[in-house]
Amino acid sequence: MAYSGPFTAGDRVQLTDAKRRHFTITLEEGKSFFTHKGEIKHDDIIGKDEGIVVKSSGAGEYLIFRHLLVDHVLSMPRGAAVIYPKDAAQILVEGDIFPGATVLEAGAGSGAMSMWLLRAVGEHGKLISYEIREDHLEYARDNVADYMGGHPDNWDLRLGDLNEASREEIGQVDRVLLDMLAPWEMLETVKDVLLPGGVFLTYVATVPQLMKVMEGIRETKAFTEPKAWESLVREWKVEGLATRPEHRMNAHTAFLISARRLTDGVVAPRPQRRARR
């Protein structure tokens, strides 16, 4: 699938009508897409530039753009809940996911975060993804292949429990991301495979999980003091004097926790809190 330039057969495109309803199709020569306002011929789109308006046989107007990765993530089939774009962005930036990095991910879920990570590490990087459930692994494999046009050569997708994996099986990695029910059970494995200076990130939904991960990281004495936060996103409606926040917002989805791997034998200075006056 092309990511820019004129539309070609095989491109996944998004049609948006006047009511901001979205429809996604994959372009094929000679095919048609039917809406409640009639037929749209794929051949009327193929060869045209993005950002065009196509009319259906029933005079409906549809704005046409390529399907972005964020659109794919929010509309693809799911076996497990996905990491939403607002949190994925935080992971890529706070985790400093760089081109050429080797990243370990568990679990793969429906493959949403895997796609963001594969893009970030680039063709010279590597992503190792563990998933304990076979049905979830199939969703991840299919969703990634569907968007990227096949199974990426630098994606090592494994069915299994990360806690049972050894350093010999994984090797050493630059970054680790855990998205699972009990990430505190994996801390010894993370400690074993993460290079000194590497970033460890965890994504958890509840306060009890947050507390257990934070205390577990501190108890290993192998990481810097962990940092925890959540990201809240609120869109605004901007229409002259009616400018205001939207009534609905993307509020709590999960907590993010990050820490960095210390060199073996190093004890980090204890964080000092200001004395109360």
Side-chain angles (χ1 to χ4, degrees):
M1 186 184 76
Y3 293 104
S4 62
F7 291 118
T8 62
D11 284 352
R12 184 180 291 102
V13 299
Q14 184 166 272
L15 290 69
T16 305
D17 68 11
K19 293 185 177 180
R20 298 178 67 185
R21 290 175 296 197
H22 302 306
F23 307 90
T24 299
I25 62 174
T26 300
L27 296 176
E28 297 181 59
E29 292 181 356
K31 296 286 186 177
S32 293
F33 174 68
F34 292 90
T35 75
H36 65 292
K37 289 195 174 182
E39 178 187 19
I40 297 174
K41 294 181 179 180
H42 291 205
D43 291 340
D44 291 340
I45 302 173
I46 295 173
K48 304 290 179 58
D49 288 323
E50 291 192 67
I52 61 170
V53 173
V54 171
K55 287 188 177 182
S56 67
S57 59
E61 292 188 330
Y62 296 86
L63 187 61
I64 314 292
F65 284 99
R66 274 190 178 83
H67 210 239
L68 300 177
L69 179 51
V70 67
D71 301 316
H72 183 62
V73 164
L74 295 177
S75 64
M76 69 188 189
R78 302 179 190 177
V82 301
I83 293 179
Y84 277 83
K86 72 182 182 71
D87 296 317
Q90 291 277 306
I91 289 168
L92 295 177
V93 174
E94 293 284 344
D96 192 38
I97 310 299
F98 60 91
T102 298
V103 179
L104 172 63
E105 170 197 30
S110 296
M113 196 65 223
S114 301
M115 286 184 275
W116 294 115
L117 292 170
L118 284 164
R119 269 196 170 180
V121 302
E123 60 180 324
H124 300 298
K126 182 179 181 180
L127 175 63
I128 304 168
S129 300
Y130 274 82
E131 177 52 56
I132 198 169
R133 289 182 51 169
E134 187 170 3
D135 56 336
H136 288 177
L137 181 140
E138 290 175 358
Y139 273 107
R141 182 183 58 222
D142 292 346
N143 285 329
V144 171
D146 186 35
Y147 188 77
M148 296 192 163
H151 189 100
D153 294 335
N154 60 341
W155 187 32
D156 186 355
L157 179 60
R158 304 179 183 182
L159 178 65
D161 187 345
L162 178 61
N163 209 24
E164 297 174 0
S166 65
R167 179 169 171 174
E168 289 70 29
E169 294 174 288
I170 298 171
Q172 287 196 293
V173 301
D174 301 296
R175 305 289 186 261
V176 176
L177 169 64
L178 300 184
D179 175 18
M180 55 180 61
L181 289 175
W184 53 88
E185 296 177 356
M186 309 295 169
L187 293 177
E188 285 302 316
T189 302
V190 174
K191 173 185 172 183
D192 201 30
V193 302
L194 188 59
L195 285 164
V199 181
F200 170 39
L201 291 146
T202 311
Y203 180 87
V204 294
T206 69
V207 171
Q209 288 175 306
L210 170 66
M211 294 168 64
K212 284 188 176 182
V213 174
M214 294 284 283
E215 291 306 316
I217 290 173
R218 289 167 178 149
E219 288 172 6
T220 65
K221 293 181 169 52
F223 299 92
T224 58
E225 174 66 13
K227 178 180 76 169
W229 75 99
E230 65 175 329
S231 60
L232 306 177
V233 175
R234 183 172 64 178
E235 292 187 5
W236 277 65
K237 181 178 180 180
V238 182
E239 294 179 0
L241 295 178
T243 297
R244 57 168 176 74
E246 289 284 2
H247 294 305
R248 293 184 298 175
M249 70 176 291
N250 296 316
H252 176 74
T253 49
F255 300 103
L256 288 164
I257 305 159
S258 70
R260 298 190 70 178
R261 179 72 163 90
L262 298 171
T263 298
D264 289 337
V266 171
V267 178
R270 293 187 62 182
Q272 295 187 359
R273 295 174 174 82
R274 291 182 180 179
R276 293 182 179 179
R277 292 181 179 179

